[in-house]
Amino acid sequence: ATLHKKSNLLVVGFTSGIFGLYELPGCANIHTLSISASKISTVSINASGEWLAFGSEKLGQLLVWEWQSETYVLKQQGHSHGMQTIDYSPNGAQLVSGGSDGKVKVWNTATGLCFITFLDHTASVSAVRFLASGNAVVSASLDGSVRAFDLVRYRNFRTLTTPKPTQFLSLALDPSDEICCAGTQ
């Protein structure tokens, strides 16, 4: 599930492959749609609140749906072993996805093409986030690392680990991009 604060929209993906779009605070159902026979494992909303991105862990599929016109914008096979997490860039021009295959992929939302794949993680990627500038992506993985990828030079420019091996499950960045927090079990 994810919340778009500006428009008070809540999107919830279910294990049945159905998602619901709700308007808060009253929780009024705007749309309910079945988009897959498999579990929806991750959801993201672009900055304008018009495009909803869904990832399916089982299928490794990325799907973008424009809810007002009720049309598919993008449908791509994204990861060979399941898509775990997705996030929109601040301007909505790009999507980043992380998968069970250890890959971090960056997608152009206008063309629907993946234009860079980072292969630095050795285990499933559990969380991805764009920096507020949109020039870099941060990822957390079950391999015990948090990595920052430069989207100008297309390289891993920072790797953070803990003294004691651990698996990272979540990731948060403060609005100034100065503080990065990764959560474990």
Side-chain angles (χ1 to χ4, degrees):
T2 191
L3 173 68
H4 189 262
K5 293 177 186 176
K6 291 179 189 174
S7 60
N8 288 327
L9 293 176
L10 174 69
V11 180
V12 181
F14 298 100
T15 57
S16 61
I18 295 172
F19 80 88
L21 177 64
Y22 304 93
E23 186 175 29
L24 299 178
C27 210
N29 185 314
I30 298 171
H31 287 290
T32 302
L33 184 67
S34 177
I35 58 172
S36 174
S38 299
K39 173 185 172 184
I40 297 171
S41 53
T42 183
V43 179
S44 186
I45 305 174
N46 73 343
S48 68
E50 297 168 346
W51 287 8
L52 313 177
F54 301 96
S56 171
E57 181 177 353
K58 184 177 180 183
L59 301 175
Q61 194 172 63
L62 173 65
L63 180 97
V64 177
W65 193 65
E66 201 283 314
W67 70 270
Q68 291 170 328
S69 66
E70 299 183 20
T71 57
Y72 290 107
V73 176
L74 168 69
K75 189 173 185 179
Q76 289 284 359
Q77 195 65 32
H79 293 269
S80 58
H81 295 96
M83 188 172 297
Q84 299 288 352
T85 179
I86 52 178
D87 189 39
Y88 271 103
S89 65
N91 65 4
Q94 300 167 341
L95 267 168
V96 63
S97 62
S100 299
D101 54 9
K103 296 176 182 174
V104 174
K105 294 183 169 214
V106 185
W107 304 82
N108 179 312
T109 57
T111 65
L113 299 175
C114 173
F115 64 89
I116 185 70
T117 301
F118 297 105
L119 306 170
D120 299 82
H121 287 293
T122 59
S124 181
V125 177
S126 52
V128 291
R129 296 288 175 267
F130 270 95
L131 268 62
S133 66
N135 292 332
V137 170
V138 179
S139 61
S141 173
L142 298 182
D143 68 6
S145 69
V146 174
R147 297 177 182 270
F149 300 100
D150 183 337
L151 296 181
V152 176
R153 295 182 186 94
Y154 301 122
R155 65 183 180 93
N156 177 195
F157 69 90
R158 177 83 32 97
T159 302
L160 306 170
T161 59
T162 60
K164 188 174 165 184
T166 189
Q167 294 182 325
F168 291 112
L169 300 175
S170 60
L171 182 65
L173 302 171
D174 77 321
S176 69
D177 294 331
E178 294 292 321
I179 300 172
C180 173
C181 296
T184 65
Q185 293 186 28

